[in-house]
């Protein structure tokens, strides 16, 4: 995952993930895309839910003729060839693969091709990846390439537990991706172990590397510290629900030694599900609703994390 500060390139990647299905990832992805496009940014939404693509439905776009499958398997040379218009100025969509049983089991070479292509995209200011639920390696690898990894969670015990499981899996996946560079294969194996004495926190990992190779420890610490998940609490019904994000940030820091950001909570709002039923983004259907206001605030927070833009800003 990219560092929390602005990257040298102008294009930013936002990945929206979650520990379970049905928590509103696609709703958040679609409406963040609308908010950023309305602010004057060029935005490309990519439905990267390889087993259950439905982002086009959230945007009121019919089943597209070209999808991610055409790029991965049918000889399309570029993502531009499978982009479709959403009807929102500045917002384009790459619909998810429709042959879901095959797409969910993306081959390694196909995944690498897609990752390389996403990282090299220069046609949009913001690239938003709507990920599948759960902790498959495909999902985690897309989450980790993002400048901003957004984790959607409901203020419910099972959702919070699944969210922690997702973050821990993503962090360990990042460790696996760095192990060869630092010669820490045995440490990663220990980190993945549940036996007594296994590695638990970022500081545990760095401390063990420092014992073996002090010169590598500082570089590894900076790299792992770049892993910074940004929480979005969806469907908050009470004031206590709105504080779930802050509580999760505090607990994660205490027990795992890694910073996490609370981007804010989206209030439960009947207008959100009414918009979903109409197959329209709630920001377009009811821009004055509580959930729309919350989505605008989250979009503004993301833009502010990237530094001021001379061209546009979220109001």
């Amino acid at each position: 995952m990219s560092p929390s500060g602005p990257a040298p390139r102008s294009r930013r990647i936002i990945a929206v993930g979650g520990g379970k299905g049905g928590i509103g990832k696609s709703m958040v992805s679609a409406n963040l895309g609308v908010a950023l496009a309305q602010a004057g940014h060029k935005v490309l939404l990519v439905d990267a839910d390889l087993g259950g693509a439905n982002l086009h439905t959230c945007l009121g776009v019919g089943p597209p003729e070209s999808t991610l499958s055409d790029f991965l398997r049918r000889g399309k040379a570029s993502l531009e060839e499978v982009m479709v218009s959403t009807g929102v100025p500045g917002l384009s969509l790459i619909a998810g693969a429709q042959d879901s049983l095959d797409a969910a089991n993306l081959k390694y070479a196909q995944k690498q091709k897609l990752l390389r292509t996403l990282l090299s995209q220069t046609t949009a200011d913001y690239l938003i990846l709507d990920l599948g639920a759960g902790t498959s390696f495909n999902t985690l690898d897309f989450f980790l390439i993002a400048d901003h990894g957004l984790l959607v969670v409901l203020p419910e015990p099972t959702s919070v537990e699944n969210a922690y499981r997702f973050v821990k899996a993503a962090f360990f996946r990042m460790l696996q991706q760095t192990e060869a560079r630092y010669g820490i294969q045995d440490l990663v194996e220990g980190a993945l172990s549940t036996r007594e004495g296994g590695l638990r926190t970022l500081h545990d990992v760095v401390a063990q590397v420092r014992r073996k190779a002090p010169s590598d420890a500082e570089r590894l610490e900076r790299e792992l510290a770049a892993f910074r998940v940004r929480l979005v609490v969806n469907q908050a019904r009470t004031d206590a629900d709105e504080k779930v994000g802050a509580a999760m940030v505090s607990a994660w820091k205490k027990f795992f030694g890694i910073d996490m950001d609370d981007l804010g909570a989206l209030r439960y709002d009947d207008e959100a599900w009414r918009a979903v039923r109409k197959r329209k983004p709630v920001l377009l259907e009811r821009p004055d609703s509580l959930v729309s206001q919350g989505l605008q605030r989250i979009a503004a927070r993301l833009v502010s994390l990237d530094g001021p833009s001379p061209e546009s800003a979220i109001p």
Side-chain angles (χ1 to χ4, degrees):
M1 190 179 295
S2 299
S4 55
R9 62 181 183 277
S10 58
R11 189 262 302 118
R12 309 293 282 168
I13 298 177
I14 300 171
V16 184
K20 60 182 291 188
I23 56 176
K25 290 184 294 76
S26 294
M27 185 278 288
V28 170
S29 299
N31 283 281
L32 283 180
V34 172
L36 291 168
Q38 287 178 334
H41 301 285
K42 290 186 65 177
V43 183
L44 173 59
L45 277 166
V46 179
D47 194 338
D49 185 346
L50 301 176
N54 63 3
L55 189 57
H56 62 281
T57 304
C58 297
L59 292 161
V61 176
E65 293 183 7
S66 297
T67 72
L68 207 53
S69 289
D70 296 294
F71 171 72
L72 292 171
R73 297 187 179 86
R74 301 191 181 102
K76 297 292 185 181
S78 67
L79 288 179
E80 285 80 0
E81 293 183 65
V82 295
M83 289 181 191
V84 297
S85 172
T86 64
V88 177
L91 180 63
S92 300
L93 168 70
I94 295 177
Q98 300 298 304
D99 47 346
S100 58
L101 289 178
D102 190 26
N105 299 297
L106 199 64
K107 292 181 176 62
Y108 177 80
Q110 294 170 325
K111 179 178 71 175
Q112 292 302 112
K113 173 186 176 182
L114 183 54
L115 288 171
R116 286 194 303 270
T117 305
L118 292 173
L119 286 170
S120 64
Q121 276 299 298
T122 58
T123 59
D125 303 316
Y126 282 93
L127 186 63
I128 301 178
L129 311 180
D130 180 27
L131 306 181
T135 57
S136 73
F137 282 172
N138 284 337
T139 296
L140 296 177
D141 288 347
F142 289 122
F143 190 79
L144 289 172
I145 69 168
D147 300 288
H148 303 301
L150 269 62
L151 182 61
V152 180
V153 60
L154 299 181
E156 301 170 356
T158 54
S159 183
V160 170
E161 182 179 346
N162 283 324
Y164 279 131
R165 188 175 294 120
F166 182 96
V167 180
K168 192 172 183 180
F171 178 67
F172 285 153
R173 180 62 173 167
M174 185 178 183
L175 278 180
Q176 288 179 313
Q177 293 174 350
T178 62
E179 63 182 12
R181 292 202 300 277
Y182 295 98
I184 56 172
Q185 289 89 337
D186 56 331
L187 300 183
V188 172
E189 183 180 345
L192 294 170
S193 172
T194 57
R195 68 180 183 271
E196 188 68 24
L199 298 176
R200 192 186 67 170
T201 71
L202 178 151
H203 303 298
D204 292 335
V205 177
V206 174
Q208 290 211 31
V209 172
R210 185 169 284 116
R211 293 188 198 105
K212 294 180 62 176
S215 61
D216 287 340
E218 185 176 342
R219 186 159 54 100
L220 176 62
E221 187 170 27
R222 286 197 304 270
E223 191 167 337
L224 296 183
F227 179 84
R228 188 157 181 157
V229 172
R230 310 192 192 282
L231 282 178
V232 174
V233 177
N234 192 24
Q235 298 183 19
R237 295 173 183 264
T238 66
D239 290 344
D241 287 349
E242 291 198 351
K243 297 175 182 177
V244 165
M248 289 183 66
V249 167
S250 177
W252 183 252
K253 178 68 173 179
K254 178 180 179 181
F255 292 108
F256 218 67
I258 302 176
D259 290 316
M260 181 187 287
D261 293 314
D262 176 18
L263 287 188
L266 301 174
R267 293 292 299 204
Y268 179 86
D269 194 333
D270 286 343
E271 296 300 336
W273 68 260
R274 288 194 182 103
V276 170
R277 287 192 172 190
K278 292 182 180 180
R279 301 185 177 189
K280 292 185 178 180
V282 68
L283 267 174
L284 298 181
E285 187 71 7
R286 285 298 305 272
D288 58 337
S289 64
L290 287 174
V291 68
S292 292
Q293 293 171 23
L295 287 159
Q296 288 280 8
R297 285 193 295 271
I298 290 170
R301 180 83 186 277
L302 288 170
V303 171
S304 70
L305 288 170
D306 293 331
S309 168
E311 289 97 10
S312 59
I314 302 284

